[in-house]
Amino acid sequence: MTGLLSGARTAANPLRQLTIDQLRQRTSLKWREHPDDVLPLWVAEMDVPLAEPVALAITDAVARGDTGYTAGTAYPQALAEFARRRWGWDGLVVERTALVPDVMHGVVEALRLVTEPGDAVVVNCPVYPPFYESVAHADRRIVEAPLGEDLRIDLGTLEEAFRRARAGGRPAAYLLCSPHNPTGVVHTAAELTAVADLAERHGVRVVADEIHAPVVAGGARFVPYLSVPGAENGLSLMSASKGWNLSGLRGGLLVAGPAAAGDLARVPFGVSVSTSHLGVIAHTAAFRDGGEWLDSLLTGLDDNRRLLADLLAEHLPAVRYQPGQGTYLAWLDCRALGLGDDPATVFLDSARVALNSGLAFGTGGDGHVRLNLATAPELITEAVRRMAGVVG
Ligand SMILES: Cc1ncc(COP(=O)(O)O)c(C=O)c1O
């Protein structure tokens, strides 16, 4: 284990620049939750050094003592330009954005803007577990619309969920995850247009969590929800935190479509001012100057997706993996392994590999695990070797 990654320093690919000994010195959740004999491929942190433009911006700010309350529009401006360059979308209007402390706080605020306590929030399970906690915390209730067998949004199921959510004529929201965590599916323009149409017909307000938007493979296209026809009264949450591994430098943006500007105006001042100024500086630098670094990361992630698929085919052929084109997460269907509803527990106890248990992701998560691909290829190889050893 200690030999893993020693000397692995391929230039450019940020996933190949840190040794396991360096990673084990980190004090963040991914590397501190488990003892040192466990390979941590779970929570959505990446095993990368900080992108240079971000590191420079932060160290400059620290040198200036620039650690007061946050101000200005540099962050939404940088995101608007990134959106234009990357996604060909020029509809992100700085005046229709609000700083939020992080994406999940932003999700809660957005739900508060468009629904009342007790109202329904539709989610496509299996989905990012904090969606459940945050909806409950906001005093709203979940209505599940399970993904189809192909792991894509099933429009018939979604429509049925919208009907249930709107029963009695109450307001309702749809918390869309785009790209989808944990499957990595990148929704197409046609899918999102159909979603907007359905939401409009049923009077459901869409809140799109687009935190993974920058992490989409070169061959695929991320489509911002607010860019599709019919999405004018939608709200979106964006952030640099997944693309550049900035969870420790918190920050996010709530973005409103033209017909949701009035809602946005009701975001309490205290919410935006609670956003970390250092976080805003880091996120701004990432969107403004971090494109080259991001491209290297995306190439490395493509390689890792292929590597994982090959390794599973060779060593764990009973595991089903449909690689998505977005996120750095892999959703593994382990039901054929005979390890029960919670294979993550077996992999942790017996293989010393930490993965996310599918059970937390709602209906459809049993028998599944989520594996974090944002690490060195050597660690993915070692993890699959260990996992295969348990299955025998
Ligand atoms: C879909 C999704 N939303 C939100 C978050 C968390 O965002 P934040 O840390 O900005 O609250 C994550 C983290 O992995 C995520 O995957």
Side-chain angles (χ1 to χ4, degrees):
M1 210 28 237
T2 37
L4 274 175
L5 288 190
S6 49
R9 276 177 196 284
T10 307
N13 180 354
L15 297 165
R16 304 203 65 146
Q17 292 183 21
L18 297 170
T19 67
I20 187 126
D21 294 335
Q22 289 171 319
L23 290 167
R24 289 215 184 278
Q25 283 164 31
R26 290 194 164 176
T27 56
S28 61
L29 188 59
K30 186 181 191 189
W31 288 93
R32 282 301 156 109
E33 179 74 4
H34 301 286
D36 273 5
D37 66 325
V38 170
L39 265 188
L41 272 65
W42 64 298
V43 68
E45 295 179 21
M46 298 198 285
D47 296 341
V48 294
L50 199 51
E52 197 170 309
V54 178
L56 277 176
I58 292 297
T59 47
D60 281 358
V62 170
R64 284 195 304 273
D66 191 3
T67 52
Y69 293 110
T70 200
T73 56
Y75 186 4
Q77 268 164 10
L79 175 59
E81 279 152 31
F82 181 87
R84 206 170 291 129
R85 284 195 306 272
R86 284 256 155 183
W87 309 320
W89 180 46
D90 60 7
L92 198 156
V93 176
V94 168
E95 291 70 30
R96 287 203 307 267
T97 63
L99 287 173
V100 286
D102 56 43
V103 166
M104 287 319 294
H105 280 90
V107 163
V108 168
E109 285 307 323
L111 294 176
R112 287 193 176 128
L113 294 176
V114 298
T115 57
E116 297 294 330
D119 288 343
V121 178
V122 176
V123 297
N124 294 125
C125 54
V127 74
Y128 180 57
F131 277 17
Y132 290 86
E133 290 143 32
S134 297
V135 167
H137 176 70
D139 234 349
R140 274 63 173 165
R141 72 198 150 82
I142 289 274
V143 170
E144 290 190 323
L147 296 171
E149 266 294 299
D150 57 358
L151 302 182
R152 306 200 76 92
I153 295 170
D154 181 319
L155 290 172
T157 305
L158 188 63
E159 179 156 31
E160 179 47 37
F162 281 1
R163 275 203 194 96
R164 270 187 291 139
R166 291 280 283 134
R170 295 177 70 142
Y174 169 39
L175 181 50
L176 168 72
C177 193
S178 179
H180 193 85
N181 173 357
T183 60
V185 164
V186 179
H187 310 300
T188 63
E191 286 170 326
L192 294 172
T193 305
V195 160
D197 176 58
L198 216 54
E200 185 164 27
R201 279 196 281 120
H202 289 271
V204 171
R205 296 293 299 275
V206 178
V207 175
D209 177 339
E210 300 184 312
I211 194 170
H212 290 277
V215 192
V216 167
R221 191 164 88 90
F222 169 73
V223 178
Y225 177 69
L226 297 181
S227 74
V228 304
E232 291 76 13
N233 73 355
L235 292 163
S236 158
L237 275 309
M238 293 209 176
S239 170
S241 77
K242 291 301 118 182
W244 288 266
N245 199 42
L246 304 180
S247 300
L249 289 162
R250 305 190 73 66
L253 282 170
L254 176 55
V255 186
D263 297 310
L264 194 76
R266 291 184 285 113
V267 173
F269 171 74
V271 170
S272 293
V273 86
S274 298
T275 309
S276 156
H277 185 45
L278 276 185
V280 167
I281 289 169
H283 289 231
T284 304
F287 279 125
R288 197 183 49 216
D289 303 319
E292 207 178 310
W293 186 93
L294 180 66
D295 285 335
S296 307
L297 171 77
L298 295 179
T299 305
L301 288 175
D302 263 348
D303 293 346
N304 283 1
R305 279 187 204 102
R306 266 191 302 275
L307 172 70
L308 179 65
D310 290 349
L311 288 167
L312 291 173
E314 188 180 343
H315 301 291
L316 281 167
V319 171
R320 277 186 64 201
Y321 169 45
Q322 305 179 47
Q325 293 172 301
T327 80
Y328 46 79
L329 307 165
W331 183 238
L332 308 184
D333 179 350
C334 302
R335 285 174 294 182
L337 294 180
L339 300 179
D341 277 356
D342 191 13
T345 304
V346 181
F347 289 132
L348 178 60
D349 291 346
S350 306
R352 309 308 280 157
V353 176
L355 307 167
N356 287 90
S357 165
L359 291 177
F361 291 73
T363 302
D366 54 310
H368 290 69
V369 296
R370 191 190 74 175
L371 182 149
N372 179 345
L373 288 160
T375 192
E378 289 84 351
L379 296 195
I380 294 173
T381 306
E382 171 67 6
V384 174
R385 188 192 68 74
R386 290 184 184 195
M387 290 159 69
V390 169
V391 174

mmCIF file with all atom_site columns, all heavy atoms in Angstrom, residues 356-369:
data_model
loop_
_atom_site.group_PDB
_atom_site.id
_atom_site.type_symbol
_atom_site.label_atom_id
_atom_site.label_alt_id
_atom_site.label_comp_id
_atom_site.label_asym_id
_atom_site.label_entity_id
_atom_site.label_seq_id
_atom_site.pdbx_PDB_ins_code
_atom_site.Cartn_x
_atom_site.Cartn_y
_atom_site.Cartn_z
_atom_site.occupancy
_atom_site.B_iso_or_equiv
_atom_site.pdbx_formal_charge
_atom_site.auth_seq_id
_atom_site.auth_comp_id
_atom_site.auth_asym_id
_atom_site.auth_atom_id
_atom_site.pdbx_PDB_model_num
ATOM 1  N N   . ASN A 1 356 ? -19.850 4.876  -0.839 1.00 0.00 ? 356 ASN A N   1
ATOM 2  C CA  . ASN A 1 356 ? -21.125 5.322  -0.259 1.00 0.00 ? 356 ASN A CA  1
ATOM 3  C C   . ASN A 1 356 ? -22.150 4.214  -0.401 1.00 0.00 ? 356 ASN A C   1
ATOM 4  O O   . ASN A 1 356 ? -22.288 3.614  -1.480 1.00 0.00 ? 356 ASN A O   1
ATOM 5  C CB  . ASN A 1 356 ? -21.630 6.574  -0.963 1.00 0.00 ? 356 ASN A CB  1
ATOM 6  C CG  . ASN A 1 356 ? -20.818 7.782  -0.588 1.00 0.00 ? 356 ASN A CG  1
ATOM 7  O OD1 . ASN A 1 356 ? -19.822 8.094  -1.237 1.00 0.00 ? 356 ASN A OD1 1
ATOM 8  N ND2 . ASN A 1 356 ? -21.215 8.450  0.475  1.00 0.00 ? 356 ASN A ND2 1
ATOM 9  N N   . SER A 1 357 ? -22.891 3.983  0.670  1.00 0.00 ? 357 SER A N   1
ATOM 10 C CA  . SER A 1 357 ? -23.947 2.978  0.614  1.00 0.00 ? 357 SER A CA  1
ATOM 11 C C   . SER A 1 357 ? -25.099 3.491  -0.228 1.00 0.00 ? 357 SER A C   1
ATOM 12 O O   . SER A 1 357 ? -25.586 4.614  -0.025 1.00 0.00 ? 357 SER A O   1
ATOM 13 C CB  . SER A 1 357 ? -24.440 2.687  2.036  1.00 0.00 ? 357 SER A CB  1
ATOM 14 O OG  . SER A 1 357 ? -25.668 1.986  1.964  1.00 0.00 ? 357 SER A OG  1
ATOM 15 N N   . GLY A 1 358 ? -25.579 2.669  -1.130 1.00 0.00 ? 358 GLY A N   1
ATOM 16 C CA  . GLY A 1 358 ? -26.708 3.056  -1.973 1.00 0.00 ? 358 GLY A CA  1
ATOM 17 C C   . GLY A 1 358 ? -27.977 3.296  -1.175 1.00 0.00 ? 358 GLY A C   1
ATOM 18 O O   . GLY A 1 358 ? -28.871 4.013  -1.634 1.00 0.00 ? 358 GLY A O   1
ATOM 19 N N   . LEU A 1 359 ? -28.061 2.710  0.012  1.00 0.00 ? 359 LEU A N   1
ATOM 20 C CA  . LEU A 1 359 ? -29.301 2.814  0.801  1.00 0.00 ? 359 LEU A CA  1
ATOM 21 C C   . LEU A 1 359 ? -29.671 4.266  1.095  1.00 0.00 ? 359 LEU A C   1
ATOM 22 O O   . LEU A 1 359 ? -30.846 4.601  1.190  1.00 0.00 ? 359 LEU A O   1
ATOM 23 C CB  . LEU A 1 359 ? -29.160 2.049  2.124  1.00 0.00 ? 359 LEU A CB  1
ATOM 24 C CG  . LEU A 1 359 ? -29.089 0.531  2.010  1.00 0.00 ? 359 LEU A CG  1
ATOM 25 C CD1 . LEU A 1 359 ? -28.869 -0.098 3.383  1.00 0.00 ? 359 LEU A CD1 1
ATOM 26 C CD2 . LEU A 1 359 ? -30.364 -0.012 1.364  1.00 0.00 ? 359 LEU A CD2 1
ATOM 27 N N   . ALA A 1 360 ? -28.666 5.134  1.242  1.00 0.00 ? 360 ALA A N   1
ATOM 28 C CA  . ALA A 1 360 ? -28.943 6.527  1.603  1.00 0.00 ? 360 ALA A CA  1
ATOM 29 C C   . ALA A 1 360 ? -29.537 7.322  0.433  1.00 0.00 ? 360 ALA A C   1
ATOM 30 O O   . ALA A 1 360 ? -30.022 8.434  0.623  1.00 0.00 ? 360 ALA A O   1
ATOM 31 C CB  . ALA A 1 360 ? -27.653 7.200  2.069  1.00 0.00 ? 360 ALA A CB  1
ATOM 32 N N   . PHE A 1 361 ? -29.493 6.741  -0.771 1.00 0.00 ? 361 PHE A N   1
ATOM 33 C CA  . PHE A 1 361 ? -29.897 7.493  -1.967 1.00 0.00 ? 361 PHE A CA  1
ATOM 34 C C   . PHE A 1 361 ? -31.387 7.349  -2.295 1.00 0.00 ? 361 PHE A C   1
ATOM 35 O O   . PHE A 1 361 ? -31.840 7.763  -3.348 1.00 0.00 ? 361 PHE A O   1
ATOM 36 C CB  . PHE A 1 361 ? -29.040 7.071  -3.171 1.00 0.00 ? 361 PHE A CB  1
ATOM 37 C CG  . PHE A 1 361 ? -27.599 7.518  -3.068 1.00 0.00 ? 361 PHE A CG  1
ATOM 38 C CD1 . PHE A 1 361 ? -26.712 6.899  -2.182 1.00 0.00 ? 361 PHE A CD1 1
ATOM 39 C CD2 . PHE A 1 361 ? -27.120 8.564  -3.840 1.00 0.00 ? 361 PHE A CD2 1
ATOM 40 C CE1 . PHE A 1 361 ? -25.390 7.305  -2.077 1.00 0.00 ? 361 PHE A CE1 1
ATOM 41 C CE2 . PHE A 1 361 ? -25.796 8.982  -3.748 1.00 0.00 ? 361 PHE A CE2 1
ATOM 42 C CZ  . PHE A 1 361 ? -24.924 8.355  -2.857 1.00 0.00 ? 361 PHE A CZ  1
ATOM 43 N N   . GLY A 1 362 ? -32.135 6.750  -1.379 1.00 0.00 ? 362 GLY A N   1
ATOM 44 C CA  . GLY A 1 362 ? -33.579 6.624  -1.567 1.00 0.00 ? 362 GLY A CA  1
ATOM 45 C C   . GLY A 1 362 ? -33.951 5.354  -2.321 1.00 0.00 ? 362 GLY A C   1
ATOM 46 O O   . GLY A 1 362 ? -33.112 4.471  -2.546 1.00 0.00 ? 362 GLY A O   1
ATOM 47 N N   . THR A 1 363 ? -35.214 5.285  -2.710 1.00 0.00 ? 363 THR A N   1
ATOM 48 C CA  . THR A 1 363 ? -35.733 4.088  -3.387 1.00 0.00 ? 363 THR A CA  1
ATOM 49 C C   . THR A 1 363 ? -34.880 3.764  -4.611 1.00 0.00 ? 363 THR A C   1
ATOM 50 O O   . THR A 1 363 ? -34.563 4.646  -5.414 1.00 0.00 ? 363 THR A O   1
ATOM 51 C CB  . THR A 1 363 ? -37.203 4.335  -3.809 1.00 0.00 ? 363 THR A CB  1
ATOM 52 O OG1 . THR A 1 363 ? -37.951 4.641  -2.632 1.00 0.00 ? 363 THR A OG1 1
ATOM 53 C CG2 . THR A 1 363 ? -37.789 3.128  -4.516 1.00 0.00 ? 363 THR A CG2 1
ATOM 54 N N   . GLY A 1 364 ? -34.505 2.484  -4.729 1.00 0.00 ? 364 GLY A N   1
ATOM 55 C CA  . GLY A 1 364 ? -33.678 2.065  -5.852 1.00 0.00 ? 364 GLY A CA  1
ATOM 56 C C   . GLY A 1 364 ? -32.201 2.020  -5.491 1.00 0.00 ? 364 GLY A C   1
ATOM 57 O O   . GLY A 1 364 ? -31.371 1.603  -6.298 1.00 0.00 ? 364 GLY A O   1
ATOM 58 N N   . GLY A 1 365 ? -31.859 2.410  -4.272 1.00 0.00 ? 365 GLY A N   1
ATOM 59 C CA  . GLY A 1 365 ? -30.446 2.426  -3.885 1.00 0.00 ? 365 GLY A CA  1
ATOM 60 C C   . GLY A 1 365 ? -29.960 1.121  -3.247 1.00 0.00 ? 365 GLY A C   1
ATOM 61 O O   . GLY A 1 365 ? -28.753 0.898  -3.126 1.00 0.00 ? 365 GLY A O   1
ATOM 62 N N   . ASP A 1 366 ? -30.888 0.265  -2.876 1.00 0.00 ? 366 ASP A N   1
ATOM 63 C CA  . ASP A 1 366 ? -30.460 -0.980 -2.207 1.00 0.00 ? 366 ASP A CA  1
ATOM 64 C C   . ASP A 1 366 ? -29.628 -1.831 -3.177 1.00 0.00 ? 366 ASP A C   1
ATOM 65 O O   . ASP A 1 366 ? -29.885 -1.879 -4.374 1.00 0.00 ? 366 ASP A O   1
ATOM 66 C CB  . ASP A 1 366 ? -31.668 -1.763 -1.674 1.00 0.00 ? 366 ASP A CB  1
ATOM 67 C CG  . ASP A 1 366 ? -32.686 -2.021 -2.766 1.00 0.00 ? 366 ASP A CG  1
ATOM 68 O OD1 . ASP A 1 366 ? -33.059 -1.058 -3.452 1.00 0.00 ? 366 ASP A OD1 1
ATOM 69 O OD2 . ASP A 1 366 ? -33.066 -3.184 -2.958 1.00 0.00 ? 366 ASP A OD2 1
ATOM 70 N N   . GLY A 1 367 ? -28.618 -2.467 -2.619 1.00 0.00 ? 367 GLY A N   1
ATOM 71 C CA  . GLY A 1 367 ? -27.747 -3.316 -3.429 1.00 0.00 ? 367 GLY A CA  1
ATOM 72 C C   . GLY A 1 367 ? -26.753 -2.541 -4.288 1.00 0.00 ? 367 GLY A C   1
ATOM 73 O O   . GLY A 1 367 ? -26.045 -3.131 -5.091 1.00 0.00 ? 367 GLY A O   1
ATOM 74 N N   . HIS A 1 368 ? -26.733 -1.205 -4.134 1.00 0.00 ? 368 HIS A N   1
ATOM 75 C CA  . HIS A 1 368 ? -25.828 -0.371 -4.939 1.00 0.00 ? 368 HIS A CA  1
ATOM 76 C C   . HIS A 1 368 ? -24.773 0.297  -4.039 1.00 0.00 ? 368 HIS A C   1
ATOM 77 O O   . HIS A 1 368 ? -24.983 0.466  -2.841 1.00 0.00 ? 368 HIS A O   1
ATOM 78 C CB  . HIS A 1 368 ? -26.595 0.739  -5.652 1.00 0.00 ? 368 HIS A CB  1
ATOM 79 C CG  . HIS A 1 368 ? -27.486 0.251  -6.759 1.00 0.00 ? 368 HIS A CG  1
ATOM 80 N ND1 . HIS A 1 368 ? -28.626 -0.496 -6.533 1.00 0.00 ? 368 HIS A ND1 1
ATOM 81 C CD2 . HIS A 1 368 ? -27.407 0.413  -8.113 1.00 0.00 ? 368 HIS A CD2 1
ATOM 82 C CE1 . HIS A 1 368 ? -29.210 -0.771 -7.689 1.00 0.00 ? 368 HIS A CE1 1
ATOM 83 N NE2 . HIS A 1 368 ? -28.488 -0.234 -8.669 1.00 0.00 ? 368 HIS A NE2 1
ATOM 84 N N   . VAL A 1 369 ? -23.693 0.703  -4.674 1.00 0.00 ? 369 VAL A N   1
ATOM 85 C CA  . VAL A 1 369 ? -22.707 1.550  -3.999 1.00 0.00 ? 369 VAL A CA  1
ATOM 86 C C   . VAL A 1 369 ? -22.323 2.678  -4.950 1.00 0.00 ? 369 VAL A C   1
ATOM 87 O O   . VAL A 1 369 ? -22.451 2.556  -6.171 1.00 0.00 ? 369 VAL A O   1
ATOM 88 C CB  . VAL A 1 369 ? -21.411 0.773  -3.606 1.00 0.00 ? 369 VAL A CB  1
ATOM 89 C CG1 . VAL A 1 369 ? -21.707 -0.311 -2.595 1.00 0.00 ? 369 VAL A CG1 1
ATOM 90 C CG2 . VAL A 1 369 ? -20.699 0.207  -4.837 1.00 0.00 ? 369 VAL A CG2 1
#
